[in-house]
Amino acid sequence: MYDSIDQNVITSGEKGANKTVILTFDDGPGRVLPKLLDILKKEEVQGMFFWQSRLLYKERPWKRVLDEGHLIGTHSRKHPNLTKLSYAEQFEELEYSKLKIHEITGSSVTYFRPPFGQFNLDTIKAARDLGLTTVMWRISSMDW
């Protein structure tokens, strides 16, 4: 089992498993994506990308992300602090994002990272009700 707040929020890997690092990237897709993918390919490393659906267009290189074995999850539609929204507003934000990413990529979205790392019980319930597993970080780059 994962070290988590509940079974729907992953905060670290399985206990007793070999130590691993999962590189995750939030807030895209952005202009540096092709360069980032070049580095990951050269180093033979897979990543998880948590994208704001408002930034995802058919013209962005999302296909390459999937073709090279990376995962795409949702980071919401517009990157709000979800804890300031009602359950219904959070559900709508995540549902829209999940559907938009699926519509453009054809790939099912099963992972979610809350903007700013901020969540509450309504966030977790909305994610769970949408079939999303919430993924947090153990070590942050503190790049905000």
Side-chain angles (χ1 to χ4, degrees):
M1 183 44 84
Y2 293 97
D3 179 14
S4 66
I5 293 163
D6 73 17
Q7 69 255 24
N8 295 303
V9 181
I10 298 173
T11 58
S12 66
E14 293 184 29
K15 291 185 185 238
N18 290 332
K19 293 195 180 255
T20 58
V21 173
I22 299 173
L23 296 178
T24 62
F25 305 91
D26 296 353
D27 297 333
R31 285 183 223 112
V32 299
L33 181 59
K35 290 178 185 176
L36 182 57
L37 291 172
D38 290 343
I39 293 167
L40 293 174
K41 186 173 187 174
K42 178 182 174 206
E43 299 299 327
E44 298 181 5
V45 174
Q46 263 50 64
M48 266 181 120
F49 292 85
F50 292 97
W51 284 350
Q52 296 177 52
S53 61
R54 71 182 175 92
L55 301 174
L56 180 59
Y57 301 95
K58 292 183 180 178
E59 300 79 29
R60 297 271 166 108
W62 58 265
K63 187 168 182 348
R64 180 178 171 198
V65 172
L66 296 174
D67 287 348
E68 292 181 6
H70 307 289
L71 294 174
I72 298 173
T74 179
H75 197 45
S76 77
R77 174 182 13 181
K78 295 181 179 178
H79 204 274
N81 181 338
L82 295 170
T83 64
K84 297 181 187 253
L85 303 178
S86 69
Y87 167 83
E89 292 167 320
Q90 291 186 57
F91 185 93
E92 182 182 323
E93 179 78 17
L94 297 180
E95 181 181 45
Y96 177 90
S97 182
K98 179 181 176 179
L99 292 173
K100 173 117 187 238
I101 292 170
H102 181 264
E103 174 190 319
I104 290 176
T105 67
S107 181
S108 295
V109 178
T110 57
Y111 296 102
F112 156 66
R113 172 165 291 154
F116 312 105
Q118 299 293 311
F119 63 92
N120 58 23
L121 292 175
D122 284 340
T123 313
I124 302 310
K125 180 175 176 7
R128 184 177 45 236
D129 290 348
L130 289 163
L132 297 168
T133 299
T134 303
V135 178
M136 297 303 293
W137 53 83
R138 186 80 182 254
I139 299 172
S140 175
S141 64
M142 306 296 278
D143 63 348
W144 55 84

